[in-house]
Amino acid sequence: ENSARKSLVTQAILCVLCTLVGAFYPTMVDWSKTAVQRVYVNGARGPFELLERKAYPFSPVSVVFVDDALQLSIALCFIASKKGVRSLWSNWSLVLKMMPLGAIYAIGELLTLRSVQKGSGPVYV
């Protein structure tokens, strides 16, 4: 019973942590818009009108790669400390089943960054 209680508490803490990260992630990413993008367009006031907006000083794809690599390395550290890294490759059918899920997750991260890039973090949440 004590083991079940510890497991439930751990799951509750992870659930709260994931919820907080999901809520604050777009806002924190929005704060990193430090570059200014200038675009000249044909405007109503004259031949050229300058439009400025804040943009990322990096590519959203690079953020997704770094974020996913960091999460994967943390997960591998936990798995290596519990069962060893070889246990990951012991069941190839499970690896093949999880690959599409990882791809969907990465695409979702990329789409999140693209939507925050076009709008703002608080609007996304």
Side-chain angles (χ1 to χ4, degrees), residues 47-60:
F48 292 107
E49 187 176 331
L50 175 64
L51 298 175
E52 290 185 350
R53 69 177 185 159
K54 289 193 160 211
Y56 298 122
F58 47 80
S59 165

Side-chain angles (χ1 to χ4, degrees), residues 45-92:
R45 296 184 209 130
F48 292 107
E49 187 176 331
L50 175 64
L51 298 175
E52 290 185 350
R53 69 177 185 159
K54 289 193 160 211
Y56 298 122
F58 47 80
S59 165
V61 174
S62 63
V63 174
V64 170
F65 282 138
V66 170
D67 179 47
D68 290 348
L70 182 63
Q71 289 183 29
L72 182 63
S73 63
I74 291 170
L76 287 175
C77 289
F78 278 108
I79 290 171
S81 70
K82 289 265 186 187
K83 296 183 179 181
V85 178
R86 287 184 179 241
S87 66
L88 284 175
W89 310 109
S90 62
N91 187 353
W92 277 100

Side-chain angles (χ1 to χ4, degrees), residues 7 12 15 22 25 67 114:
S7 176
C15 179
Y25 179 71
D67 179 47
R114 295 293 295 169

